[in-house]
Amino acid sequence: MENQDVKILKKKPIFPVTPALQKYLRTYQRESKLPISYSDLMQFNEAFPLMDKFGKDSLWEGPIYAQDLIEELHNGLKEIYANLKASGNLRIVEHKYIDKIEYCTFGNTHPFRIRIVNRLNDVYDYFYIKKADASRIYGLELEEILSPNQVNYLVDGDTLVEEHIAGIPGDVFTKGQLYSPEFNPTRIAKEFVKFNERCLIMLLGDMRAYNFVVQITPDFDDIQFRIRAIDFDQQFYEGNLKVYLPQFFKENLPYVKMSMEQLTEKTVLQYQQEERSSIVHRVRSERHRLTDLRDVSNQEALTTPENIALLKQAMSDYFKEPNYLMCKTMTDIIELNIKNIIRQVRL
């Protein structure tokens, strides 16, 4: 694996949710009428910076709301949590209260992070409210369909609600646990290779270490790992192929080094093939949903013609496959990726 820094020069614009995408979301039960919106949460008077446990700026702020707004917001947020977790059954929030509302100015969708606590046992959970961005929604859907991970989210107009994805942030994991003697480094390297492969096939970009988490699961004879994306803002927008390959980001260098130390070229190819086979299995089981998603996304302008031209040329060169040059949209490129791995698996 090669590594170098990849820079994203321009901030990606937010793309609106179109009527066609709304219809798709309704069909697959992702649409929900929410009691409060993202714009309601933006009605704070001021905010104070939040520090992490080391005293550094966390890039999150604590918004301060007018007293007469707080009860309405908290009740609405509890109802949203019930919609997200239990199809609107309010019994699950009877003993819960909103402990914190935090706001982040970093990133495209400027999310609010909500902490909700069970007053009976102090167990807490998080969820996020963001500006609805069509390309992010397509990224969430592709993650649901093509990856081994389930994602839980709801959309109402220009408001997106997402479930918290638990795990250790990838950059935090490298500092304290990557080389832990309790962990099998080969298993971590294997997961990074599979994650790298999945991002390229799905065209999920900007997977630097702080945009994914490492999930650790003790098994009966060893510890299992999974690397999961938590940021889907850069879904098939950029024209630079390397944006879709986590191995090229300097923030991921520790994972690249571990992979080079632990794996041979033969085992890398083996793990790539395993991931492709898994994707083919998921494509077959979710083919109708994937077709519906393709038909909707192909109608939308979710990037620039220049980016499409750059990426299809780069994909053609990378895979030595001239058919990429016939692609007209980013969705066409993903579809050709999937068709190619289906052919490979059949061989």
PDB file of all heavy atoms in Angstrom, residues 143-173:
ATOM      1  N   GLU A 143     -24.128   2.646   2.239  1.00  0.00           N
ATOM      2  CA  GLU A 143     -23.554   1.957   3.398  1.00  0.00           C
ATOM      3  C   GLU A 143     -24.508   0.878   3.884  1.00  0.00           C
ATOM      4  O   GLU A 143     -24.094  -0.236   4.208  1.00  0.00           O
ATOM      5  CB  GLU A 143     -23.281   2.975   4.513  1.00  0.00           C
ATOM      6  CG  GLU A 143     -22.703   2.397   5.789  1.00  0.00           C
ATOM      7  CD  GLU A 143     -21.208   2.102   5.714  1.00  0.00           C
ATOM      8  OE1 GLU A 143     -20.610   2.321   4.636  1.00  0.00           O
ATOM      9  OE2 GLU A 143     -20.652   1.658   6.736  1.00  0.00           O
ATOM     10  N   GLU A 144     -25.790   1.189   3.935  1.00  0.00           N
ATOM     11  CA  GLU A 144     -26.800   0.218   4.370  1.00  0.00           C
ATOM     12  C   GLU A 144     -26.867  -0.977   3.419  1.00  0.00           C
ATOM     13  O   GLU A 144     -26.973  -2.124   3.843  1.00  0.00           O
ATOM     14  CB  GLU A 144     -28.163   0.909   4.440  1.00  0.00           C
ATOM     15  CG  GLU A 144     -29.347  -0.009   4.688  1.00  0.00           C
ATOM     16  CD  GLU A 144     -29.467  -0.475   6.131  1.00  0.00           C
ATOM     17  OE1 GLU A 144     -28.842   0.139   7.014  1.00  0.00           O
ATOM     18  OE2 GLU A 144     -30.179  -1.461   6.370  1.00  0.00           O
ATOM     19  N   ILE A 145     -26.783  -0.711   2.119  1.00  0.00           N
ATOM     20  CA  ILE A 145     -26.983  -1.765   1.125  1.00  0.00           C
ATOM     21  C   ILE A 145     -25.720  -2.581   0.873  1.00  0.00           C
ATOM     22  O   ILE A 145     -25.766  -3.815   0.795  1.00  0.00           O
ATOM     23  CB  ILE A 145     -27.484  -1.153  -0.204  1.00  0.00           C
ATOM     24  CG1 ILE A 145     -28.847  -0.477  -0.003  1.00  0.00           C
ATOM     25  CG2 ILE A 145     -27.581  -2.224  -1.296  1.00  0.00           C
ATOM     26  CD1 ILE A 145     -29.289   0.377  -1.177  1.00  0.00           C
ATOM     27  N   LEU A 146     -24.567  -1.911   0.747  1.00  0.00           N
ATOM     28  CA  LEU A 146     -23.365  -2.585   0.267  1.00  0.00           C
ATOM     29  C   LEU A 146     -22.356  -2.960   1.347  1.00  0.00           C
ATOM     30  O   LEU A 146     -21.465  -3.773   1.103  1.00  0.00           O
ATOM     31  CB  LEU A 146     -22.651  -1.700  -0.770  1.00  0.00           C
ATOM     32  CG  LEU A 146     -23.436  -1.404  -2.053  1.00  0.00           C
ATOM     33  CD1 LEU A 146     -22.609  -0.521  -2.981  1.00  0.00           C
ATOM     34  CD2 LEU A 146     -23.838  -2.691  -2.760  1.00  0.00           C
ATOM     35  N   SER A 147     -22.471  -2.374   2.532  1.00  0.00           N
ATOM     36  CA  SER A 147     -21.499  -2.680   3.590  1.00  0.00           C
ATOM     37  C   SER A 147     -22.101  -3.682   4.570  1.00  0.00           C
ATOM     38  O   SER A 147     -23.311  -3.942   4.551  1.00  0.00           O
ATOM     39  CB  SER A 147     -21.104  -1.392   4.338  1.00  0.00           C
ATOM     40  OG  SER A 147     -22.019  -1.122   5.380  1.00  0.00           O
ATOM     41  N   PRO A 148     -21.297  -4.233   5.473  1.00  0.00           N
ATOM     42  CA  PRO A 148     -21.844  -5.134   6.496  1.00  0.00           C
ATOM     43  C   PRO A 148     -22.530  -4.388   7.636  1.00  0.00           C
ATOM     44  O   PRO A 148     -22.975  -5.007   8.600  1.00  0.00           O
ATOM     45  CB  PRO A 148     -20.596  -5.877   6.997  1.00  0.00           C
ATOM     46  CG  PRO A 148     -19.469  -4.932   6.754  1.00  0.00           C
ATOM     47  CD  PRO A 148     -19.823  -4.176   5.514  1.00  0.00           C
ATOM     48  N   ASN A 149     -22.613  -3.068   7.541  1.00  0.00           N
ATOM     49  CA  ASN A 149     -23.118  -2.251   8.645  1.00  0.00           C
ATOM     50  C   ASN A 149     -24.534  -1.760   8.378  1.00  0.00           C
ATOM     51  O   ASN A 149     -24.873  -1.418   7.252  1.00  0.00           O
ATOM     52  CB  ASN A 149     -22.208  -1.031   8.845  1.00  0.00           C
ATOM     53  CG  ASN A 149     -20.752  -1.421   8.952  1.00  0.00           C
ATOM     54  OD1 ASN A 149     -20.386  -2.284   9.736  1.00  0.00           O
ATOM     55  ND2 ASN A 149     -19.908  -0.799   8.138  1.00  0.00           N
ATOM     56  N   GLN A 150     -25.325  -1.687   9.430  1.00  0.00           N
ATOM     57  CA  GLN A 150     -26.647  -1.085   9.342  1.00  0.00           C
ATOM     58  C   GLN A 150     -26.572   0.361   9.803  1.00  0.00           C
ATOM     59  O   GLN A 150     -25.855   0.676  10.750  1.00  0.00           O
ATOM     60  CB  GLN A 150     -27.656  -1.846  10.213  1.00  0.00           C
ATOM     61  CG  GLN A 150     -28.040  -3.210   9.660  1.00  0.00           C
ATOM     62  CD  GLN A 150     -29.150  -3.862  10.478  1.00  0.00           C
ATOM     63  OE1 GLN A 150     -29.086  -3.907  11.693  1.00  0.00           O
ATOM     64  NE2 GLN A 150     -30.159  -4.351   9.793  1.00  0.00           N
ATOM     65  N   VAL A 151     -27.294   1.231   9.125  1.00  0.00           N
ATOM     66  CA  VAL A 151     -27.361   2.632   9.535  1.00  0.00           C
ATOM     67  C   VAL A 151     -28.816   2.989   9.811  1.00  0.00           C
ATOM     68  O   VAL A 151     -29.724   2.475   9.157  1.00  0.00           O
ATOM     69  CB  VAL A 151     -26.755   3.579   8.472  1.00  0.00           C
ATOM     70  CG1 VAL A 151     -25.269   3.373   8.355  1.00  0.00           C
ATOM     71  CG2 VAL A 151     -27.412   3.391   7.107  1.00  0.00           C
ATOM     72  N   ASN A 152     -29.018   3.846  10.768  1.00  0.00           N
ATOM     73  CA  ASN A 152     -30.364   4.227  11.176  1.00  0.00           C
ATOM     74  C   ASN A 152     -30.463   5.746  11.092  1.00  0.00           C
ATOM     75  O   ASN A 152     -29.726   6.456  11.786  1.00  0.00           O
ATOM     76  CB  ASN A 152     -30.628   3.745  12.604  1.00  0.00           C
ATOM     77  CG  ASN A 152     -32.078   3.920  13.020  1.00  0.00           C
ATOM     78  OD1 ASN A 152     -32.944   4.203  12.189  1.00  0.00           O
ATOM     79  ND2 ASN A 152     -32.348   3.764  14.299  1.00  0.00           N
ATOM     80  N   TYR A 153     -31.356   6.238  10.236  1.00  0.00           N
ATOM     81  CA  TYR A 153     -31.506   7.681  10.079  1.00  0.00           C
ATOM     82  C   TYR A 153     -32.924   7.996   9.605  1.00  0.00           C
ATOM     83  O   TYR A 153     -33.646   7.118   9.100  1.00  0.00           O
ATOM     84  CB  TYR A 153     -30.472   8.245   9.103  1.00  0.00           C
ATOM     85  CG  TYR A 153     -30.720   7.889   7.654  1.00  0.00           C
ATOM     86  CD1 TYR A 153     -31.439   8.745   6.817  1.00  0.00           C
ATOM     87  CD2 TYR A 153     -30.245   6.699   7.113  1.00  0.00           C
ATOM     88  CE1 TYR A 153     -31.678   8.416   5.495  1.00  0.00           C
ATOM     89  CE2 TYR A 153     -30.483   6.368   5.799  1.00  0.00           C
ATOM     90  CZ  TYR A 153     -31.194   7.231   4.990  1.00  0.00           C
ATOM     91  OH  TYR A 153     -31.443   6.904   3.681  1.00  0.00           O
ATOM     92  N   LEU A 154     -33.320   9.254   9.766  1.00  0.00           N
ATOM     93  CA  LEU A 154     -34.628   9.740   9.321  1.00  0.00           C
ATOM     94  C   LEU A 154     -34.443  11.093   8.640  1.00  0.00           C
ATOM     95  O   LEU A 154     -33.523  11.842   8.982  1.00  0.00           O
ATOM     96  CB  LEU A 154     -35.587   9.899  10.506  1.00  0.00           C
ATOM     97  CG  LEU A 154     -35.944   8.626  11.295  1.00  0.00           C
ATOM     98  CD1 LEU A 154     -36.710   9.005  12.556  1.00  0.00           C
ATOM     99  CD2 LEU A 154     -36.749   7.661  10.440  1.00  0.00           C
ATOM    100  N   VAL A 155     -35.343  11.399   7.718  1.00  0.00           N
ATOM    101  CA  VAL A 155     -35.287  12.671   7.002  1.00  0.00           C
ATOM    102  C   VAL A 155     -36.666  13.313   7.023  1.00  0.00           C
ATOM    103  O   VAL A 155     -37.683  12.638   6.835  1.00  0.00           O
ATOM    104  CB  VAL A 155     -34.830  12.480   5.531  1.00  0.00           C
ATOM    105  CG1 VAL A 155     -34.774  13.815   4.804  1.00  0.00           C
ATOM    106  CG2 VAL A 155     -33.484  11.788   5.468  1.00  0.00           C
ATOM    107  N   ASP A 156     -36.685  14.614   7.267  1.00  0.00           N
ATOM    108  CA  ASP A 156     -37.914  15.399   7.152  1.00  0.00           C
ATOM    109  C   ASP A 156     -37.546  16.735   6.521  1.00  0.00           C
ATOM    110  O   ASP A 156     -36.975  17.610   7.181  1.00  0.00           O
ATOM    111  CB  ASP A 156     -38.555  15.618   8.526  1.00  0.00           C
ATOM    112  CG  ASP A 156     -39.866  16.412   8.443  1.00  0.00           C
ATOM    113  OD1 ASP A 156     -40.377  16.593   7.320  1.00  0.00           O
ATOM    114  OD2 ASP A 156     -40.358  16.849   9.499  1.00  0.00           O
ATOM    115  N   GLY A 157     -37.835  16.873   5.230  1.00  0.00           N
ATOM    116  CA  GLY A 157     -37.495  18.121   4.537  1.00  0.00           C
ATOM    117  C   GLY A 157     -36.005  18.375   4.530  1.00  0.00           C
ATOM    118  O   GLY A 157     -35.223  17.584   4.002  1.00  0.00           O
ATOM    119  N   ASP A 158     -35.588  19.485   5.158  1.00  0.00           N
ATOM    120  CA  ASP A 158     -34.163  19.820   5.182  1.00  0.00           C
ATOM    121  C   ASP A 158     -33.486  19.378   6.475  1.00  0.00           C
ATOM    122  O   ASP A 158     -32.400  19.854   6.806  1.00  0.00           O
ATOM    123  CB  ASP A 158     -33.966  21.324   4.974  1.00  0.00           C
ATOM    124  CG  ASP A 158     -34.617  22.157   6.075  1.00  0.00           C
ATOM    125  OD1 ASP A 158     -35.279  21.574   6.955  1.00  0.00           O
ATOM    126  OD2 ASP A 158     -34.458  23.396   6.053  1.00  0.00           O
ATOM    127  N   THR A 159     -34.118  18.458   7.205  1.00  0.00           N
ATOM    128  CA  THR A 159     -33.568  17.975   8.478  1.00  0.00           C
ATOM    129  C   THR A 159     -33.238  16.495   8.391  1.00  0.00           C
ATOM    130  O   THR A 159     -34.070  15.689   7.943  1.00  0.00           O
ATOM    131  CB  THR A 159     -34.572  18.214   9.630  1.00  0.00           C
ATOM    132  OG1 THR A 159     -34.857  19.608   9.723  1.00  0.00           O
ATOM    133  CG2 THR A 159     -34.009  17.722  10.957  1.00  0.00           C
ATOM    134  N   LEU A 160     -32.028  16.150   8.809  1.00  0.00           N
ATOM    135  CA  LEU A 160     -31.552  14.767   8.824  1.00  0.00           C
ATOM    136  C   LEU A 160     -31.223  14.377  10.262  1.00  0.00           C
ATOM    137  O   LEU A 160     -30.523  15.106  10.964  1.00  0.00           O
ATOM    138  CB  LEU A 160     -30.297  14.647   7.942  1.00  0.00           C
ATOM    139  CG  LEU A 160     -29.496  13.343   8.001  1.00  0.00           C
ATOM    140  CD1 LEU A 160     -30.320  12.172   7.478  1.00  0.00           C
ATOM    141  CD2 LEU A 160     -28.194  13.488   7.206  1.00  0.00           C
ATOM    142  N   VAL A 161     -31.760  13.246  10.693  1.00  0.00           N
ATOM    143  CA  VAL A 161     -31.486  12.718  12.033  1.00  0.00           C
ATOM    144  C   VAL A 161     -30.722  11.410  11.881  1.00  0.00           C
ATOM    145  O   VAL A 161     -31.145  10.528  11.122  1.00  0.00           O
ATOM    146  CB  VAL A 161     -32.793  12.461  12.820  1.00  0.00           C
ATOM    147  CG1 VAL A 161     -32.481  11.934  14.218  1.00  0.00           C
ATOM    148  CG2 VAL A 161     -33.637  13.722  12.898  1.00  0.00           C
ATOM    149  N   GLU A 162     -29.591  11.283  12.579  1.00  0.00           N
ATOM    150  CA  GLU A 162     -28.781  10.072  12.483  1.00  0.00           C
ATOM    151  C   GLU A 162     -28.519   9.476  13.857  1.00  0.00           C
ATOM    152  O   GLU A 162     -28.272  10.202  14.829  1.00  0.00           O
ATOM    153  CB  GLU A 162     -27.427  10.381  11.833  1.00  0.00           C
ATOM    154  CG  GLU A 162     -27.494  10.704  10.366  1.00  0.00           C
ATOM    155  CD  GLU A 162     -26.113  10.935   9.774  1.00  0.00           C
ATOM    156  OE1 GLU A 162     -25.127  10.366  10.300  1.00  0.00           O
ATOM    157  OE2 GLU A 162     -26.013  11.714   8.817  1.00  0.00           O
ATOM    158  N   GLU A 163     -28.542   8.173  13.893  1.00  0.00           N
ATOM    159  CA  GLU A 163     -28.161   7.441  15.090  1.00  0.00           C
ATOM    160  C   GLU A 163     -26.655   7.559  15.311  1.00  0.00           C
ATOM    161  O   GLU A 163     -25.880   7.666  14.359  1.00  0.00           O
ATOM    162  CB  GLU A 163     -28.551   5.968  14.908  1.00  0.00           C
ATOM    163  CG  GLU A 163     -28.338   5.074  16.096  1.00  0.00           C
ATOM    164  CD  GLU A 163     -28.819   3.658  15.815  1.00  0.00           C
ATOM    165  OE1 GLU A 163     -28.304   3.048  14.861  1.00  0.00           O
ATOM    166  OE2 GLU A 163     -29.722   3.177  16.529  1.00  0.00           O
ATOM    167  N   HIS A 164     -26.248   7.548  16.560  1.00  0.00           N
ATOM    168  CA  HIS A 164     -24.814   7.557  16.878  1.00  0.00           C
ATOM    169  C   HIS A 164     -24.196   6.212  16.505  1.00  0.00           C
ATOM    170  O   HIS A 164     -24.768   5.154  16.777  1.00  0.00           O
ATOM    171  CB  HIS A 164     -24.624   7.807  18.378  1.00  0.00           C
ATOM    172  CG  HIS A 164     -23.203   7.726  18.823  1.00  0.00           C
ATOM    173  ND1 HIS A 164     -22.235   8.606  18.393  1.00  0.00           N
ATOM    174  CD2 HIS A 164     -22.576   6.855  19.672  1.00  0.00           C
ATOM    175  CE1 HIS A 164     -21.078   8.283  18.950  1.00  0.00           C
ATOM    176  NE2 HIS A 164     -21.264   7.232  19.720  1.00  0.00           N
ATOM    177  N   ILE A 165     -23.047   6.249  15.861  1.00  0.00           N
ATOM    178  CA  ILE A 165     -22.298   5.027  15.525  1.00  0.00           C
ATOM    179  C   ILE A 165     -21.188   4.869  16.559  1.00  0.00           C
ATOM    180  O   ILE A 165     -20.258   5.680  16.610  1.00  0.00           O
ATOM    181  CB  ILE A 165     -21.715   5.099  14.100  1.00  0.00           C
ATOM    182  CG1 ILE A 165     -22.856   5.202  13.073  1.00  0.00           C
ATOM    183  CG2 ILE A 165     -20.858   3.868  13.806  1.00  0.00           C
ATOM    184  CD1 ILE A 165     -22.381   5.441  11.648  1.00  0.00           C
ATOM    185  N   ALA A 166     -21.320   3.866  17.384  1.00  0.00           N
ATOM    186  CA  ALA A 166     -20.369   3.664  18.475  1.00  0.00           C
ATOM    187  C   ALA A 166     -19.045   3.129  17.951  1.00  0.00           C
ATOM    188  O   ALA A 166     -18.994   2.386  16.967  1.00  0.00           O
ATOM    189  CB  ALA A 166     -20.950   2.699  19.501  1.00  0.00           C
ATOM    190  N   GLY A 167     -17.964   3.496  18.617  1.00  0.00           N
ATOM    191  CA  GLY A 167     -16.643   3.010  18.253  1.00  0.00           C
ATOM    192  C   GLY A 167     -15.575   3.994  18.683  1.00  0.00           C
ATOM    193  O   GLY A 167     -15.872   5.117  19.106  1.00  0.00           O
ATOM    194  N   ILE A 168     -14.334   3.578  18.574  1.00  0.00           N
ATOM    195  CA  ILE A 168     -13.203   4.433  18.923  1.00  0.00           C
ATOM    196  C   ILE A 168     -12.784   5.205  17.671  1.00  0.00           C
ATOM    197  O   ILE A 168     -12.498   4.587  16.640  1.00  0.00           O
ATOM    198  CB  ILE A 168     -12.020   3.601  19.442  1.00  0.00           C
ATOM    199  CG1 ILE A 168     -12.442   2.771  20.664  1.00  0.00           C
ATOM    200  CG2 ILE A 168     -10.838   4.497  19.806  1.00  0.00           C
ATOM    201  CD1 ILE A 168     -11.422   1.747  21.084  1.00  0.00           C
ATOM    202  N   PRO A 169     -12.779   6.540  17.705  1.00  0.00           N
ATOM    203  CA  PRO A 169     -12.342   7.286  16.520  1.00  0.00           C
ATOM    204  C   PRO A 169     -10.997   6.780  16.010  1.00  0.00           C
ATOM    205  O   PRO A 169     -10.090   6.484  16.797  1.00  0.00           O
ATOM    206  CB  PRO A 169     -12.258   8.730  17.034  1.00  0.00           C
ATOM    207  CG  PRO A 169     -13.229   8.781  18.176  1.00  0.00           C
ATOM    208  CD  PRO A 169     -13.155   7.428  18.822  1.00  0.00           C
ATOM    209  N   GLY A 170     -10.888   6.671  14.686  1.00  0.00           N
ATOM    210  CA  GLY A 170      -9.692   6.073  14.099  1.00  0.00           C
ATOM    211  C   GLY A 170      -8.405   6.750  14.494  1.00  0.00           C
ATOM    212  O   GLY A 170      -7.377   6.076  14.695  1.00  0.00           O
ATOM    213  N   ASP A 171      -8.416   8.084  14.649  1.00  0.00           N
ATOM    214  CA  ASP A 171      -7.189   8.784  15.037  1.00  0.00           C
ATOM    215  C   ASP A 171      -6.859   8.546  16.504  1.00  0.00           C
ATOM    216  O   ASP A 171      -5.680   8.438  16.877  1.00  0.00           O
ATOM    217  CB  ASP A 171      -7.301  10.275  14.738  1.00  0.00           C
ATOM    218  CG  ASP A 171      -8.542  10.923  15.329  1.00  0.00           C
ATOM    219  OD1 ASP A 171      -9.504  10.216  15.661  1.00  0.00           O
ATOM    220  OD2 ASP A 171      -8.556  12.167  15.472  1.00  0.00           O
ATOM    221  N   VAL A 172      -7.874   8.439  17.345  1.00  0.00           N
ATOM    222  CA  VAL A 172      -7.653   8.139  18.769  1.00  0.00           C
ATOM    223  C   VAL A 172      -7.106   6.719  18.925  1.00  0.00           C
ATOM    224  O   VAL A 172      -6.194   6.471  19.717  1.00  0.00           O
ATOM    225  CB  VAL A 172      -8.967   8.304  19.567  1.00  0.00           C
ATOM    226  CG1 VAL A 172      -8.780   7.876  21.023  1.00  0.00           C
ATOM    227  CG2 VAL A 172      -9.462   9.741  19.496  1.00  0.00           C
ATOM    228  N   PHE A 173      -7.637   5.795  18.137  1.00  0.00           N
ATOM    229  CA  PHE A 173      -7.205   4.390  18.205  1.00  0.00           C
ATOM    230  C   PHE A 173      -5.725   4.250  17.864  1.00  0.00           C
ATOM    231  O   PHE A 173      -5.005   3.463  18.485  1.00  0.00           O
ATOM    232  CB  PHE A 173      -8.053   3.556  17.249  1.00  0.00           C
ATOM    233  CG  PHE A 173      -7.805   2.075  17.320  1.00  0.00           C
ATOM    234  CD1 PHE A 173      -8.300   1.320  18.373  1.00  0.00           C
ATOM    235  CD2 PHE A 173      -7.085   1.434  16.327  1.00  0.00           C
ATOM    236  CE1 PHE A 173      -8.069  -0.056  18.439  1.00  0.00           C
ATOM    237  CE2 PHE A 173      -6.849   0.076  16.382  1.00  0.00           C
ATOM    238  CZ  PHE A 173      -7.342  -0.678  17.440  1.00  0.00           C
TER     239      PHE A 173
END
